[in-house]
Amino acid sequence: PAEAPASIPAEAPGTFRIHATDGAARTGVLHTAHGPVRTPIFMPVGTVGSVKAVAPDDLDAIGAEIILGNTYHLYLRPGDELVARRGGLHGFNAWKKPILTDSGGFQVFSLSALRKITEQGVEFRSHLDGSKHLFTPEKVVSIQRNLNSDIMMVLDECVSYGADKPYTEKSLALTTRWAQRCRDAYPGGTAGNLLFGITQGGFFKDLRERSIGELTQIDFDGFALGGLSVGESKPEMMDILYHCAPLLPADKPRYLMGVGTPLDIINGIAAGVDMFDCVLPTRNARNGTLYTSLGKINIKRKEFAEDDGPLDPACNCYACRTFSRAYLRHLYVAKELLAFRLNSVHNLTYFLDVVRGARAAIAEGRFAAYKAGFEAIYPEEVV
Ligand code: PRF
Ligand code: ZN
């Protein structure tokens, strides 16, 4: 058996079929209004409606199946109603495959000033012009419907690392009430915008269990683990990840938000997670940090000045097929814009190869060996 075939017959949005399992790891297909997504999947981040430095034809060549957009950014600029008038985000940015949008709550907490959380929602000031706004659960669903997102996320509060138990407990209860209001604002239907719930609970296992228990009472199309990779140590993250992922419904897609390194993703898959997103491959590409089959390198180093070999001999991306390390180093050192594109194309290809390889390994019952291979490449990260 192999991973799901290249051509997958269309099914109703929200249909999630698991084709094979290996331990807790699973491989399958999630169907959306803009086509299928093979899982486990890595989703390149296109915060403002563009995956930085790469165009949709690059993304197609890389093999991206779904990208992220962000409610907070697109609402502030250019505005979700402007996007709606251009046929939603797909009509606006010309990416025709699935798009998942984060709800904006997380960005409000990380970017905007003067945020105030009440029962009603979260009040904040724009990081662009200081203007005042209110995100309610109903509002973020309405924005994501205007964007015509394939997978919408509920409004949640991502509790900061170090929050105490009483605060985390109150916060997760609010997150549950907001999740229910998001569901009530859009009971679902024929338009095909899926809605995922987000579980929270900080670093308290009993609160994590409570959040999962409450959220899974609501009829969502998938469930996310939020509030991880927020400054905790690797062992703390892995402890919560391996404890919580199996508690999420087995028949719905599971999404680990904002995670992570290649080894984090491999651990997520081992724990039973199906979807991942992170700015790491694109952000690192822009500062010269590149992932290869032999580990991470920084292309600016002098040792690559006359290295005529490919960036990664095991990679089949446009950058690796076409250019030498010496040329890629030159572009980077000369601050040429092409460096951003080529480095991003490569790093995204690497992350998509990680999940593509995982799908094949799960289908063939050799995921443990596949995981061990990554532990050998990234020994400093093994916990
Ligand atoms: N909530 C939302 N988006 C997120 C997170 C979260 O907890 C995280 C945590 N790593 C990343 N992105 N809505
Ligand atoms: Zn490459």
Side-chain angles (χ1 to χ4, degrees), residues 94-141:
W95 168 255
K96 299 305 175 201
K97 290 178 187 163
I99 297 176
L100 179 149
T101 48
D102 198 356
S103 57
F106 184 71
Q107 284 67 32
V108 166
F109 297 112
S110 55
L111 286 174
S112 79
L114 295 169
R115 55 204 175 251
K116 195 175 132 206
I117 303 173
T118 65
E119 186 66 36
Q120 203 190 355
V122 50
E123 213 176 273
F124 61 95
R125 280 188 191 277
S126 160
H127 71 291
L128 298 172
D129 64 4
S131 54
K132 221 165 139 180
H133 304 266
L134 173 69
F135 271 175
T136 63
E138 294 79 14
K139 179 76 184 171
V140 302
V141 169

Side-chain angles (χ1 to χ4, degrees), residues 195-216:
L195 182 63
F196 279 23
I198 306 175
T199 65
Q200 294 284 347
F203 293 87
F204 306 95
K205 282 185 186 161
D206 54 338
L207 298 187
R208 283 274 168 189
E209 287 167 16
R210 188 188 305 175
S211 178
I212 291 169
E214 291 176 0
L215 262 289
T216 54

Side-chain angles (χ1 to χ4, degrees), residues 299 304 306-313 319-320 322-328:
I299 196 66
F304 303 124
E306 299 201 50
D307 186 336
D308 297 322
L311 169 55
D312 182 351
C320 290
T322 316
F323 306 102
S324 65
R325 287 178 164 186
Y327 184 64
L328 293 173

Side-chain angles (χ1 to χ4, degrees), residues 22-252:
D22 185 0
R26 324 97 73 73
T27 182
V29 177
L30 171 62
H31 293 268
T32 80
H34 287 87
V37 175
R38 285 177 291 180
T39 64
I41 193 68
F42 177 79
M43 306 182 282
V45 176
T47 304
V48 303
S50 143
V51 177
K52 291 188 195 303
V54 298
D57 57 352
D58 288 324
L59 289 169
D60 279 331
I62 289 163
E65 302 198 8
I66 175 171
I67 65 170
L68 243 71
N70 194 272
T71 298
Y72 170 87
H73 291 273
L74 292 164
Y75 158 80
L76 289 177
R77 185 172 64 191
D80 51 296
E81 289 174 4
L82 181 152
V83 174
R85 290 192 290 275
R86 316 222 124 57
L89 200 45
H90 295 86
F92 192 45
N93 74 1
W95 168 255
K96 299 305 175 201
K97 290 178 187 163
I99 297 176
L100 179 149
T101 48
D102 198 356
S103 57
F106 184 71
Q107 284 67 32
V108 166
F109 297 112
S110 55
L111 286 174
S112 79
L114 295 169
R115 55 204 175 251
K116 195 175 132 206
I117 303 173
T118 65
E119 186 66 36
Q120 203 190 355
V122 50
E123 213 176 273
F124 61 95
R125 280 188 191 277
S126 160
H127 71 291
L128 298 172
D129 64 4
S131 54
K132 221 165 139 180
H133 304 266
L134 173 69
F135 271 175
T136 63
E138 294 79 14
K139 179 76 184 171
V140 302
V141 169
S142 147
I143 297 168
Q144 292 178 93
R145 293 262 289 145
N146 275 336
L147 300 173
N148 197 21
S149 166
D150 295 288
I151 304 177
M152 313 188 290
M153 301 303 298
V154 299
L155 185 66
D156 63 325
E157 184 190 359
C158 176
V159 189
S160 48
Y161 181 64
D164 64 19
K165 195 162 181 179
Y167 184 89
T168 306
E169 188 167 9
K170 268 195 283 188
S171 168
L172 88 81
L174 181 64
T175 285
T176 297
R177 292 193 296 276
W178 283 357
Q180 183 67 60
R181 281 169 56 190
C182 284
R183 182 73 286 178
D184 293 345
Y186 179 63
T190 52
N193 309 106
L194 307 180
L195 182 63
F196 279 23
I198 306 175
T199 65
Q200 294 284 347
F203 293 87
F204 306 95
K205 282 185 186 161
D206 54 338
L207 298 187
R208 283 274 168 189
E209 287 167 16
R210 188 188 305 175
S211 178
I212 291 169
E214 291 176 0
L215 262 289
T216 54
Q217 295 301 304
I218 307 171
D219 185 25
F220 289 117
D221 299 294
F223 293 92
L225 282 174
L228 291 179
S229 198
V230 292
E232 73 279 18
S233 68
K234 280 287 174 211
E236 283 175 292
M237 177 171 120
M238 293 303 157
D239 190 33
I240 298 291
L241 167 65
Y242 278 94
H243 182 77
C244 293
L247 303 177
L248 297 173
D251 61 347
K252 295 274 172 79

Side-chain angles (χ1 to χ4, degrees), residues 234 261-263 267 292-296 350 371-383:
K234 280 287 174 211
T261 67
L263 192 55
N267 275 293
T292 79
S293 53
L294 303 169
K296 261 191 314 192
Y350 181 90
K371 178 169 178 279
F374 283 90
E375 288 163 350
I377 299 169
Y378 300 102
E380 73 281 5
E381 279 194 56
V382 176
V383 292

